[in-house]
Amino acid sequence: AMIFNNDKDNFPFKYLTYGNSSAEQAHEIFDKLREFDKLGADTVFARSPSKDGVGLAVYNRLLRAAGFEVVKIWVEYLMS
């Protein structure tokens, strides 16, 4: 999973973080995607950023990296 930095405490799955703010996420996204490639990850679930301002650009990059395949999941951990 690719999650926000502040979501990592006790996160129950393997993950990489990519910032908390849209600006941090924009800066880190490609490095993290390359890191997943190096780890041999077949599938990556990414927490979607805000769709405002820079967040929309990050969302668009994630969407393209996913080949426009979006899966919405509910993770109770992230909602608490």
Side-chain angles (χ1 to χ4, degrees):
M2 189 162 64
I3 61 174
F4 301 166
N5 291 5
N6 60 357
D7 294 332
K8 66 185 178 181
D9 291 340
N10 301 313
F11 191 76
F13 308 104
K14 293 181 182 180
Y15 66 87
L16 295 176
T17 60
Y18 77 123
N20 285 321
S21 71
S22 295
E24 291 171 329
Q25 293 157 356
H27 184 261
E28 294 186 28
I29 188 170
F30 290 116
D31 287 340
K32 298 303 174 175
L33 291 174
R34 280 191 290 274
E35 195 169 340
F36 278 114
D37 280 341
K38 288 178 186 176
L39 292 169
D42 293 325
T43 303
V44 175
F45 292 92
R47 181 157 183 211
S48 181
S50 160
K51 293 179 188 168
D52 308 344
V54 175
L56 181 59
V58 175
Y59 175 78
N60 188 28
R61 290 176 188 150
L62 284 172
L63 191 59
R64 291 176 185 282
F68 297 93
E69 184 177 339
V70 176
V71 177
K72 292 183 180 184
I73 60 172
W74 181 270
V75 178
E76 185 71 28
Y77 171 81
L78 294 176
M79 305 315 289
S80 59

